[in-house]
Amino acid sequence: MSLNKEKTCFILEGWSYIQKGITKLIKIIEGEPEPPFEVTHYMKLYTTIYSMCIQSTDDDYSQQLYDKFRQVIEDYTIYQVLPSLREKHDEYMLEELVTRWNKHNVFVRWLARFFNYIDRDFVCRRGGAILTLREVGLTCFHDLVYRELHSTAKEAVLTLIHKEREGEDIDRELVKSLVDVYVKNGMGTLETYEEDFEIFLLQDTASYYSSKASKWIEDDFCPDYMLKVEEYLTRERERVTHYLHSTTEPKIVEKVQNELLVVVAKQLLENEHSGCRALLRDYKMDDLSRMYRLYHPIPQGLEPIAYLFKQHIIEEGTSLVKKNRRVNELQDKYMVYVIKCFQNHTLFHKASKEAFETLRREGGIEKLE
Amino acid sequence: MRETVKLISMEGFEFVIDREAAMVSHTIRSMLTSPGGFSESKDGVVTFPDISTPILEKICQYFYWSLQYSRGKETEFYIEPELTLELMMAANYLHT
C-alpha cells in the first residue's frame, strides 16, 4: 500500500506544482508584474503532466487532468472574466469583450501547450469522441461568455453601424474584432454569425433605407435620387470590406437595392418631370446610363425601363408622323441610346424593334429603310 | 533569432545543434516559437533532466537524419537495440 501512497503523494505534488504554474500564467495574462516563463519551467510543467499521464495503467490520471483543464478555464472565466464584463456597457463593454476574447485565446493556447501530452495521447486515443484541448477552451468561452453577452453586444454594434451611416466616425477595428468573435464562436460554421448578428444587421439596413427612400423620393428629382443610391451602395460595399464577413455583401446589397430601387420603382421611373421619359426627352445620357447600371443587377429590374423606352419611341414617332415627317432618323437616334446607355442589352434592342413595328403598322407610313 | 540551440542531458552534457534540426521536435519547436513568453527562447538553451546523454545524442542524430530524409536523401536510420525503448519514450516525450 505504500506504493499507492507514494503515487498519491506524487499526484498531489504534481498537481500542486501545475497549479502554481497556472496561477503564474493567469497573472501574466492579467497584466500583473510577473516575470515571463523560463524554458526550464515550461519543460517541467510539460514533464509533470507527461509523467502523471504515463503513470496510470488506465486513463485515470489523464481523465482527471483533462477535466482539470476544463475546470481551470471555467473558473478563470467565471471568477475573473465575467465580472469584469458585466460591469461595463455599450462601447466599453465591446472593447472589454474583445480584450477578454484575445486574453482567453492566449490563455488557452499556453495551457494547451503545458497539457500538450494529453492532446496527443488521451484525446487522440479517443479518436474524436472527445474535444481537443483547444476546442474545450473555445467551448468554455462560448458557453459562459458568448451566450450571455452576444445579444447585448449585437445591439451595441448595430448602434455603432447606425452612427457610421449617419456620418459619424466609429472605431472600425473594434467592430471588425467583434465580428470575428461571432464568426469564431460558430466553431467552424457561419451559423452563429448569421443567426446572432447578420440577420439583425439586415433588418436594420432594410428599415434604415426604407425611411431614407421615403424622404428622398419626395425631395429629389430622379437624377439626384439615383446619384444618392449609387453613393450609398458604394458605401455599404465598402463597409463590408472593412469589417463585415464577405458573405454578407450580396445580402446587404440586395436589401439596399430593394428599399431604394425596387419598392419605389414606379414612382421613380414614371415621374413626369424627371423620370425615365423625361431623361429620354432631354438627352440625359449619363443619367440614363446610371439608371441602367443601378437596375441591371436586379431581377426584372430592366423590364419597366425597357417598356417606358418603347412607349417613348412610339409617342415620338407618332407625333412626327402627324407632322408628316419621316421617322428614319428616329431609328438611328434611338439606337444610340441602346448602345451608349443600355449597353446593347437585348431587352432594349427588342423594345426599339417592337416600337418601330408598331409605328409601321399603326402609322400607315411607308417602309423604313 | 539564433542559428543554434543547446540541449543539455541529465548528466550535464551540452549538445549544440542547428535551430532547424531542433525544430523537428514539436515540443522544442513550440517552446522556441512562443511569442511574448519565454525569456530563454532568445538564448535557446533547454535542459532535459530526464534524458540521458547517449539517448540525447541519438536524438540529435535523428534530427539531422530527418532533415536529410525530407530533402530526398533516403538512407536508413540505425538504432542500437539497447537504446530502443528509451529512445521511443524520449521521442514520445519530445513529440518527434
Side-chain angles (χ1 to χ4, degrees):
Chain A
M1 290 306 106
S2 77
L3 190 61
N4 258 345
K5 217 171 149 200
E6 237 180 69
K7 262 195 177 177
T8 320
C9 263
F10 168 73
I11 298 301
L12 287 173
E13 267 179 39
W15 181 249
S16 143
Y17 181 75
I18 297 169
Q19 189 64 64
K20 288 210 187 84
I22 293 176
T23 310
K24 181 185 169 84
L25 177 61
I26 291 181
K27 279 209 181 121
I28 294 179
I29 302 240
E30 292 292 304
E32 291 173 41
E34 181 76 35
F37 273 97
E38 286 168 18
V39 162
T40 331
H41 193 179
Y42 167 70
M43 290 306 288
K44 273 215 181 115
L45 286 164
Y46 173 80
T47 311
T48 309
I49 294 178
Y50 165 82
S51 311
M52 283 165 83
C53 286
I54 62 174
Q55 284 290 321
S56 53
T57 41
D58 54 23
D59 275 328
D60 187 46
Y61 297 142
S62 296
Q63 179 71 56
Q64 283 187 42
L65 286 170
Y66 183 78
D67 295 335
K68 284 237 196 264
F69 177 85
R70 175 189 287 269
Q71 205 184 324
V72 163
I73 300 179
E74 280 178 359
D75 288 344
Y76 171 68
T77 310
I78 294 174
Y79 295 112
Q80 284 181 265
V81 177
L82 279 175
S84 80
L85 280 168
R86 283 177 184 144
E87 55 183 31
K88 299 202 164 65
H89 303 282
D90 306 319
E91 211 171 321
Y92 302 107
M93 187 275 271
L94 293 179
E95 284 166 359
E96 182 70 13
L97 184 58
V98 170
T99 310
R100 284 293 164 189
W101 166 246
N102 291 331
K103 283 193 181 183
H104 174 90
N105 288 332
V106 173
F107 183 51
V108 171
R109 197 178 344 131
W110 274 74
L111 214 56
R113 282 217 179 108
F114 297 157
F115 282 70
N116 178 256
Y117 191 74
I118 302 220
D119 241 351
R120 282 197 283 135
D121 179 62
F122 179 66
V123 175
C124 234
R125 281 189 288 113
R126 291 300 161 97
I130 57 175
L131 300 175
T132 65
L133 297 181
R134 293 278 176 99
E135 286 167 345
V136 170
L138 183 56
T139 314
C140 283
F141 188 87
H142 177 271
D143 294 345
L144 295 170
V145 181
Y146 177 81
R147 264 218 208 121
E148 187 178 303
L149 292 169
H150 74 84
S151 191
T152 326
K154 176 247 311 170
E155 291 297 321
V157 174
L158 290 181
T159 309
L160 284 176
I161 295 182
H162 184 88
K163 274 193 188 160
E164 199 186 47
R165 282 186 172 141
E166 291 289 287
E168 271 185 61
D169 272 326
I170 63 166
D171 187 346
R172 283 182 151 182
E173 278 307 312
L174 177 62
V175 181
K176 188 162 195 252
S177 306
L178 271 151
V179 166
D180 197 51
V181 173
Y182 281 94
V183 172
K184 292 272 161 57
N185 270 277
M187 318 225 218
T189 76
L190 278 176
E191 272 171 31
T192 318
Y193 170 74
E194 286 168 1
E195 287 166 15
D196 294 339
F197 179 75
E198 196 187 50
I199 199 172
F200 299 101
L201 170 66
L202 293 173
Q203 274 171 17
D204 246 30
T205 307
S207 64
Y208 179 80
Y209 283 106
S210 171
S211 65
K212 287 287 177 198
S214 320
K215 188 169 172 298
W216 296 344
I217 204 90
E218 295 293 331
D219 297 342
D220 295 321
F221 291 129
C222 177
D224 297 318
Y225 183 90
M226 289 198 298
L227 273 167
K228 277 195 179 137
V229 175
E230 214 168 40
E231 191 198 321
Y232 275 78
L233 270 171
T234 311
R235 276 197 211 162
E236 289 297 328
R237 284 205 173 91
E238 197 221 18
R239 182 163 293 122
V240 174
T241 58
H242 268 114
Y243 51 71
L244 297 174
H245 196 271
S246 56
T247 54
T248 304
E249 189 186 308
K251 299 176 196 174
I252 260 199
V253 165
E254 195 252 327
K255 286 282 179 205
V256 178
Q257 281 173 340
N258 192 52
E259 296 301 326
L260 292 182
L261 294 170
V262 174
V263 169
V264 301
K266 207 167 153 65
Q267 215 179 335
L268 181 70
L269 300 171
E270 293 178 15
N271 183 308
E272 263 215 39
H273 304 291
S274 64
C276 191
R277 301 280 299 265
L279 297 175
L280 285 163
R281 220 172 39 224
D282 301 333
Y283 303 95
K284 300 280 186 191
M285 308 294 269
D286 279 344
D287 293 322
L288 285 166
S289 302
R290 181 165 298 114
M291 191 179 272
Y292 175 83
R293 266 201 317 274
L294 288 173
Y295 277 92
H296 179 245
I298 300 175
Q300 268 101 56
L302 293 173
E303 271 79 342
I305 303 175
Y307 178 77
L308 290 166
F309 184 56
K310 185 169 113 181
Q311 293 307 108
H312 180 84
I313 297 176
I314 294 177
E315 253 193 44
E316 264 227 15
T318 313
S319 84
L320 270 185
V321 165
K322 285 212 175 81
K323 296 180 194 154
N324 276 320
R325 283 170 53 192
R326 292 164 69 91
V327 296
N328 302 35
E329 310 104 46
L330 220 56
Q331 224 169 357
D332 292 332
K333 172 180 164 190
Y334 284 107
M335 194 47 63
V336 173
Y337 281 107
V338 176
I339 297 172
K340 277 206 170 158
C341 303
F342 304 130
Q343 306 292 318
N344 254 319
H345 197 282
T346 41
L347 260 180
F348 293 87
H349 275 291
K350 190 159 161 257
S352 171
K353 192 162 151 253
E354 283 172 8
F356 285 104
E357 272 167 20
T358 312
L359 284 171
R360 218 178 298 143
R361 252 193 346 259
E362 295 173 5
I365 49 179
E366 68 268 37
K367 281 207 177 66
L368 305 165
E369 285 108 60
Chain B
M1 264 256 197
R2 290 182 57 103
E3 296 289 354
T4 60
V5 295
K6 195 192 285 186
L7 309 180
I8 306 177
S9 73
M10 68 161 62
E11 290 96 356
F13 263 81
E14 298 179 356
F15 294 89
V16 179
I17 62 172
D18 290 312
R19 211 181 152 85
E20 194 189 356
M23 307 262 261
V24 172
S25 153
H26 287 83
T27 309
I28 298 181
R29 188 202 298 172
S30 73
M31 216 174 48
L32 293 175
T33 58
S34 296
F38 298 121
S39 58
E40 267 142 73
S41 58
K42 303 188 210 88
D43 303 347
V45 178
V46 193
T47 318
F48 296 104
D50 298 324
I51 305 182
S52 69
T53 310
I55 297 296
L56 192 54
E57 184 180 15
K58 201 74 191 175
I59 286 175
C60 291
Q61 287 173 5
Y62 175 80
F63 288 156
Y64 280 102
W65 176 84
S66 174
L67 286 181
Q68 282 189 340
Y69 194 92
S70 63
R71 284 179 194 142
K73 192 170 168 194
E74 292 179 15
T75 53
E76 286 208 11
F77 186 72
Y78 177 70
I79 303 176
E80 290 84 345
E82 62 270 17
L83 295 182
T84 318
L85 180 60
E86 273 190 79
L87 196 60
M88 287 298 115
M89 289 191 59
N92 186 23
Y93 173 75
L94 289 172
H95 196 181
T96 302

